[in-house]
Amino acid sequence: MKPRGIVKDLRGEVLPRRDNCLGEREEATVDDVVERIIESVLTGDSSQVESSVAEALREGLSADWIMNKGLVAAMAEVGARFERQEFYVPEMLVAARAMQSGLAIIKPGLIEGGVAAVGKVVLGTVKGDLHDIGKSLVGMMLEGAGFEVTDLGTDVPPARFAEAVREHGAQLVGLSALLTTTMQNMRSTIEALEDLGVRDQVRVMVGGAPVTEAFSKEIGADGYGPDASRAVSLAKALAAGK
C-alpha cells in the first residue's frame, strides 16, 4: 500500500478535511470534482451540482472548502460573465438555483463546523411592490457569496424590515423596488430603522429598475446596486466597512 499523501488543490494549498485523511487519491481527482461543481453551476445543472457536491463530501472535503472553492468560485464567475455581457438575467437565475441545490447539501456541515457567514442580510421588496425576480436573484447571489440571507419577500412594510434587523442581528439591509410609486417606501423603511434604533447597526443598500445613485443618496441609503452582480460587490464592500 502506498503511503497516504497530503492532497493539495491547484494552487498548492493543503485541502481541509473532516477526518484529516482523504486516503489514496491523486490531486487531479480533487481538482476534477471542484471543476465539475463549478461547471455544473455555470450550466445550471442542479442534479450534477448535487451529485458532485455529494461526491466531494464522500471524499472527505470539508463543507467550508466546497463552498468557497466550488460554489462561491462558481458564482464569482457568474458575476464576471454578467459583467462581460456573456450572461444575462435568465442565465444568472439558472446558475443561482443550481448553486442553491449544492448549498442545501453542505449547509448542515457548515453549521456543524461553526462556519461564520460573511455577513447577515435582510432582503425584501418594499411595501406596495410585488415584484420578486430581481430581489430573489440578488438573494441567491448573496448566498452564493457566503452571506446569510433572510428574504422577507415582497410588499414588506417598513416596520417589518426594522424588526427583522433586530431579530436576526443583520449588518445589511437590501431594499428593492420596481415601481416609481413605491420608491418612497425605501425612505420610509430607513426612517423605520431609525425609529426602532437599529439604523446605526446596519448598512442599507437599494436597487431596482427606477432607482438611481442620486435617489440612493437622497434618501440616506449607504449604497446603490444597479444589478445583481454589482449588488453583491456592494454588499461585500459594505460588510467589510468600506
Side-chain angles (χ1 to χ4, degrees):
M1 180 181 293
K2 293 193 303 183
R4 296 173 186 260
I6 295 176
V7 179
K8 300 181 180 180
D9 69 8
L10 283 171
R11 297 186 302 177
E13 298 176 355
V14 176
L15 303 183
R17 296 157 292 182
R18 292 174 298 171
D19 56 3
N20 293 322
C21 181
L22 288 178
E24 300 174 8
R25 54 187 280 105
E26 297 177 358
E27 295 176 20
T29 307
V30 176
D31 295 333
D32 287 346
V33 172
V34 176
E35 287 174 7
R36 282 200 298 275
I37 293 173
I38 294 173
E39 185 61 28
S40 299
V41 170
L42 293 175
T43 58
D45 190 338
S46 295
S47 61
Q48 183 60 55
V49 172
E50 291 172 0
S51 63
S52 296
V53 167
E55 179 185 353
L57 287 172
R58 286 195 302 271
E59 296 295 348
L61 296 176
S62 71
D64 183 29
W65 194 90
I66 295 168
M67 178 172 179
N68 287 303
K69 301 293 186 179
L71 300 178
V72 172
M75 294 310 294
E77 177 61 20
V78 169
R81 293 189 182 190
F82 180 80
E83 295 289 338
R84 298 194 299 265
Q85 296 187 333
E86 296 172 8
F87 270 16
Y88 297 94
V89 170
E91 289 87 355
M92 292 180 76
L93 277 170
V94 171
R97 287 168 180 155
M99 176 278 301
Q100 284 196 315
S101 68
L103 184 60
I105 295 175
I106 62 172
K107 266 190 175 178
L110 294 172
I111 294 171
E112 181 182 340
V115 177
V118 174
K120 295 182 179 180
V121 184
V122 167
L123 191 68
T125 305
V126 296
K127 179 69 176 176
D129 202 319
L130 299 176
H131 290 86
D132 186 65
I133 293 178
K135 179 266 303 171
S136 297
L137 176 55
V138 169
M140 288 187 285
M141 294 285 287
L142 286 171
E143 280 195 321
F147 286 88
E148 179 182 323
V149 178
T150 299
D151 189 341
L152 301 179
T154 62
D155 192 25
V156 182
R160 178 67 188 110
F161 278 107
E163 291 163 1
V165 167
R166 187 167 62 180
E167 177 185 350
H168 298 282
Q171 295 86 41
L172 298 174
V173 175
L175 308 178
S176 175
L178 270 293
L179 302 172
T180 55
T181 53
T182 62
M183 286 171 59
Q184 289 303 323
N185 285 328
M186 290 181 166
R187 186 195 304 272
S188 300
T189 299
I190 293 175
E191 292 172 351
L193 294 171
E194 294 170 348
D195 291 342
L196 197 61
V198 296
R199 178 65 180 98
D200 290 344
Q201 78 181 53
V202 295
R203 309 294 293 277
V204 178
M205 46 190 254
V206 298
V211 181
T212 64
E213 180 74 38
F215 179 76
S216 169
K217 293 178 179 178
E218 176 188 327
I219 64 174
D222 297 297
Y224 160 65
D227 53 58
S229 177
R230 281 177 281 186
V232 172
S233 297
L234 172 63
K236 289 179 178 178
L238 292 176
K242 298 179 181 179

